[in-house]
Amino acid sequence: GDLDKVVNLLLSLSGRLARVENVLSSLGENANSDERSSLNEKRKLLAGQHEDARELKENLDRRERVVLEILGNYLSEEQLQDYQHFVKMKSALLIEQRELDDKIKLGQEQLKCLMESL
């Protein structure tokens, strides 16, 4: 459960940070200084939250290593490898699910815009 939450948190923060940075980079020279300042402040806040989330992931990884050592005393080598594969695949599938959800959302937004333009 913690793995799901931390991976989703990291993905969410990464996406939000990327969007803010894209908006900042697309602002023209004549952009409102208040808007630029607000976006810079938001970027700083998101970067700090992202760093905190990375620390959570590192702590989770340490806990996983401890659990793996304990399980090593009770499981066969094959069972232990299955467990490790499960944990790795779970993270990979969470990331893939998030990417697909984002693509679906983008497609729906594009479809809405196309329908409105017709």
Side-chain angles (χ1 to χ4, degrees), residues 103-114:
K103 286 179 182 180
I104 290 169
K105 184 178 176 183
L106 177 63
Q108 289 171 339
E109 290 172 0
Q110 289 174 336
L111 184 60
K112 181 183 172 189
C113 290
L114 284 172

Side-chain angles (χ1 to χ4, degrees), residues 46-111:
L46 286 170
Q49 289 174 339
H50 189 265
E51 185 58 35
D52 291 344
R54 286 173 36 143
E55 288 177 20
L56 284 173
K57 178 70 169 91
E58 289 171 7
N59 289 336
L60 188 62
D61 290 344
R62 281 193 288 278
R63 281 188 9 212
E64 181 185 342
R65 286 191 293 274
V66 169
V67 168
L68 195 60
E69 285 180 32
I70 293 169
L71 288 176
N73 296 327
Y74 297 99
L75 300 177
S76 69
E77 185 64 31
E78 184 179 339
Q79 290 172 322
L80 197 57
Q81 288 176 355
D82 287 344
Y83 169 78
Q84 288 176 301
H85 178 72
F86 169 77
V87 171
K88 287 179 185 174
M89 286 306 299
K90 187 171 184 176
S91 292
L93 289 173
L94 282 170
I95 292 168
E96 187 174 338
Q97 178 186 6
R98 183 62 173 251
E99 289 173 353
L100 290 172
D101 288 343
D102 289 345
K103 286 179 182 180
I104 290 169
K105 184 178 176 183
L106 177 63
Q108 289 171 339
E109 290 172 0
Q110 289 174 336
L111 184 60

